[in-house]
Amino acid sequence: MMVGSIVLFGPPGAGKGTQAGRIVDLTGKPQVSTGDMLRSAVKAGSPMGMAAKKFMDAGLLVPDEVIIGLIEERLQEDDADSGVLFDGFPRTIPQAESLERIADVTSVISIEVPDDAIVERIVGRRMDPETGEIYHVTFKPAPTEIESRLIQRPDDNEDTVRARLEAYHTQTAPLADWYAERGLLISIDGNASIEEVGSSVEAAVRTND
Ligand code: ADP
Ligand code: ADP
C-alpha cells in the first residue's frame, strides 16, 4: 500500500486550490483534484465528461461511482506511490469509505469558512487557463497583462453556488465528524487572508510530519 496521503477538506471556495501548492511544495506529494480531473474530462468531451457536466452545471455532486473510478485510476500512476494530496475528494461518506480501502489517509486539513464569505469568493474567482493559477477580482487580482485571458468557471455564479453549498452541508460536511472520530481532523480558520490561512495550513502539515 502507498504511504500516507493528506486530504484538503472544506466547502467550495474555501481556498483548497489556493493552498494546495504550499502543501505540494512542503511534502512533495502530487495534488489530486477531482474537480480539475472532471473539468479535463468535460474539455476532452469524453462520455464520462459529458455526463459529469450536467451535475457540475447544476451544482450537484457527480455520482460516487464515477468519482471513485477516477480516483482508482489516478492512484495507479507511479507518482502516487508516496501518497497524494486529495483536493475536493472525498465529498461523501461512501467516497471516504472507498478511499479507506485503497489509501492510507494520515491527516485531513479542514479549511473552515462561513457561507456568507463563500459566495463572494466564488463569484469573484477567475482562472488563468495557461497556468492554472487561481485569482480573485478583489482578494487576489491578476497582473494586468494577463487579465484579458482569464476565465470564469460556468458553475461560479450565484445560483449554482447556493446549490453547491446545500450539497456541501447535506452530503460533505458530515465527513468532518467521520474523520474527527478517527482522530485525523485538523480544523483551521479559513476566514482570514490568503497568507494567514497559508501559515495555518503549513503549521498543520508540519505538526503531522
Ligand atoms: P476551493 O479550491 O476551495 O474551491 P479556491 O482556492 O479556488 O477554493 O478559492 C476560491 C476563491 O477565493 C478564489 O478566487 C481565491 O482567489 C479566493 N480565496 C482563496 N483563499 C482566500 C482567502 N483566504 N481570502 C480571500 N479570498 C480567498
Ligand atoms: P469547488 O471547490 O469550487 O466546489 P471543485 O472544482 O472541487 O469546485 O468541484 C467542481 C464540481 O465538480 C462540483 O460542484 C461537483 O459537481 C464536481 N465534483 C468535484 N469533486 C467531486 C467529488 N469528490 N464528488 C462529487 N462531485 C465532485
Side-chain angles (χ1 to χ4, degrees):
M1 163 117 66
M2 50 186 243
V3 304
S5 290
I6 300 173
V7 170
L8 199 47
F9 183 80
K16 301 182 294 296
T18 299
Q19 302 297 343
R22 213 178 256 263
I23 306 180
V24 169
D25 290 346
L26 279 171
T27 64
K29 297 180 196 296
Q31 176 185 4
V32 172
S33 157
T34 41
D36 287 346
M37 292 161 82
L38 290 167
R39 279 184 289 279
S40 299
V42 170
K43 205 169 162 202
S46 71
M48 187 274 283
M50 304 315 283
K53 187 179 188 321
K54 295 196 176 69
F55 292 95
M56 296 165 79
D57 286 346
L60 302 173
L61 294 184
V62 172
D64 286 337
E65 54 275 18
V66 175
I67 300 293
I68 292 162
L70 270 178
I71 290 287
E72 279 173 345
E73 211 171 289
R74 179 63 184 85
L75 295 185
Q76 310 280 319
E77 307 272 327
D78 290 344
D79 68 344
D81 286 349
S82 39
V84 305
L85 171 65
F86 292 108
D87 163 8
F89 171 86
R91 262 171 147 103
T92 64
I93 302 257
Q95 289 180 21
E97 287 170 343
S98 296
L99 179 59
E100 215 175 22
R101 290 192 281 272
I102 54 174
D104 178 27
V105 171
T106 52
S107 63
V108 176
I109 301 173
S110 170
I111 306 180
E112 299 186 339
V113 179
D115 285 8
D116 50 1
I118 291 296
V119 177
E120 191 180 9
R121 284 196 192 179
I122 289 195
V123 172
R125 171 163 53 191
R126 300 291 184 275
M127 309 271 243
D128 180 354
E130 282 183 27
T131 62
E133 186 71 24
I134 306 163
Y135 293 99
H136 190 281
V137 290
T138 312
F139 305 128
K140 191 182 174 183
T144 347
E145 59 271 25
I146 66 158
E147 243 171 33
S148 61
R149 71 174 190 229
L150 297 184
I151 53 160
Q152 185 171 16
R153 277 169 43 180
D155 57 339
D156 277 353
N157 60 75
E158 196 155 346
D159 283 347
T160 310
V161 174
R162 303 276 170 208
R164 285 155 68 192
L165 276 172
E166 179 165 344
Y168 173 76
H169 288 294
T170 55
Q171 294 171 275
T172 306
L175 268 178
D177 282 345
W178 195 89
Y179 277 121
E181 282 162 18
R182 286 156 180 76
L184 297 175
L185 192 74
I186 306 173
S187 297
I188 66 172
D189 179 12
N191 200 15
S193 70
I194 292 177
E195 273 316 304
E196 286 168 312
V197 177
S199 304
S200 308
V201 166
E202 203 164 318
V205 173
R206 289 190 194 281
T207 48
N208 225 256
D209 250 357

